[in-house]
Amino acid sequence: MRTLVFDGRTGAAGDMICAALIAAGADPDALAPVSDALPVRYAVGEVEKNGIRATTVDVLVDDRTVETDGDHDHGHDHSHGHAHGPDNDPSTSGSDEPAEGAGVHRSYREVVDLVESMGLPPAVESTALDAFELLGRAEASVHGTDLDETHFHEVGADDAIADVVGAALLLADLGPERVVTTPVAAGGGTVEMSHGTYPVPAPATTEIASRAGFRIAGGPIDRELLTPTGAAILGAVADGFDAVPDLAVERAGYGAGDADFERHPNVLRALVGDGREPGPDGDREKRDDDRARAGQPVDGRLAHDDIAVLETNLDDAAPEVLGGLQETLSRAGARDVTIVPTTMKKSRPGHLVKVICKPADAEAVAERLARETGTLGVRQSGASHRWIADRAFETATLRVDGEDHEVDVKVASTTDGEVYDVSGEYDDAAAVAEATGLPIREVLRRVEAEVREQLPREQGGR
């Protein structure tokens, strides 16, 4: 499996991610849609950081070099390198003075509308919008506002939008099948923001890290190393690993930040290669242990899936409200909704509502749960992940009295393809039973047997 690994031991920012992707093989010309939609252009250069040759990416706005990502020490050292790439005329690179957050500052909804107006490929647009949703929900949580009412400051400006959309375009051009990141250094000390002085990591970065599927680490120096934009991009595209996974490296690239540190090269490393399994002669038990420690699926087991579990107790909900929660919460992002009768204080009958969702959707689902039920509080339990089967659907055809009837059948398997459960969809089976007069369980038995007959023997077929 073609895998991209980010190694963020000295942090990550939007410009560093773009630069690392180019250094790892992405074509800078892929950035053209951003320059077509915004009054910006990119300058790609090179710099040396503690003996490591690294790539830089500057966003040029109104003939000024803008420190991309709009945050702090992760822009570029303009005293090194020369511009080339989508805009390769050094004479147009403008002033060497950074101008953070140049351009219009926008609300979350305005940013979404702008991205959707760019005419991006669907996968690129989805990646960019996922990153901005992480940013928006983080800002809304920090400031106590609704998502659509949230106003971005630095990250709503042209240069920050160029970072996020640019990273999505470059990632699509590089074309990995999977993206992972090791724990990302957040730094330490304090940072100056538009609202005052805050400890590192900044509040928005902390919120994003709580929703994303990767870990952060303090240090190694007292500077802001992980910016909200960098965290949001990684959160939108990468799975977290504890260490660089087993990888046949094809290419390594380094994206540079602005600051120079005495003992730590200020670069984000990107590795691209084949993440396939070792050969059959290897020690499978050791390989499985290594993969489990790294957070990867292990052959023959269930897959790891990051989740949030939300709960609330209800003692006065109408049956109609409870009956509609599956649909309304699913629209908000819920993956599963369970309602359990229970006994509450003073021996009153009530219900426990438990909802499983992705961490990034937890806030939206909790808000919808509160609005639908009137509950005064929704708690998030300690569960952080679940183990799930790989699932696929097959269509079985049941012939009764000369007529064909179709029923969807769910096939559950482990990560190496071994099928351990085949289950017909009840609603489909009920419709066929109504039309044919057969018992529902007989319909299910027949369609499940048909699907099992079609499975290869090594996958559990007959």
Side-chain angles (χ1 to χ4, degrees), residues 159-203:
D159 55 304
I161 292 174
D163 274 346
V164 174
V165 180
L169 287 163
L170 292 168
L171 184 65
D173 181 75
L174 196 59
E177 297 174 82
R178 189 175 192 190
V179 183
V180 303
T181 181
T182 64
V184 185
T190 60
V191 62
E192 295 294 330
M193 301 174 59
S194 57
H195 300 288
T197 302
Y198 289 86
V200 171

Side-chain angles (χ1 to χ4, degrees), residues 30-184:
L31 297 167
V34 178
S35 299
D36 292 341
L38 294 173
V40 302
R41 58 190 183 278
Y42 296 87
V44 181
E46 290 185 356
V47 69
E48 186 174 295
K49 293 288 185 180
N50 296 60
I52 294 177
R53 186 178 66 180
T55 298
T56 63
V57 173
D58 287 315
V59 175
L60 309 179
V61 181
D62 294 334
D63 291 331
R64 292 176 297 162
T65 301
V66 174
E67 183 178 339
T68 59
D69 211 3
D71 292 305
H72 301 282
D73 294 320
H74 282 72
H76 297 302
D77 186 341
H78 306 294
S79 63
H80 297 274
H82 60 280
H84 59 278
D87 187 324
N88 58 9
D89 181 1
S91 67
T92 64
S93 61
S95 167
D96 284 338
E97 291 298 321
E100 294 184 1
V104 179
H105 292 186
R106 301 175 174 90
S107 69
Y108 168 75
R109 179 50 52 190
E110 288 171 334
V111 170
V112 170
D113 291 343
L114 174 59
V115 173
E116 290 179 341
S117 72
M118 289 183 175
L120 301 169
V124 174
E125 179 180 293
S126 177
T127 296
L129 291 179
D130 285 349
F132 278 116
E133 183 175 353
L134 277 173
L135 281 163
R137 293 198 181 280
E139 291 285 350
S141 178
V142 169
H143 300 300
T145 60
D146 290 335
L147 178 61
D148 286 344
E149 297 174 358
T150 297
H151 279 266
F152 292 134
H153 295 283
E154 292 91 347
V155 295
D158 288 344
D159 55 304
I161 292 174
D163 274 346
V164 174
V165 180
L169 287 163
L170 292 168
L171 184 65
D173 181 75
L174 196 59
E177 297 174 82
R178 189 175 192 190
V179 183
V180 303
T181 181
T182 64
V184 185

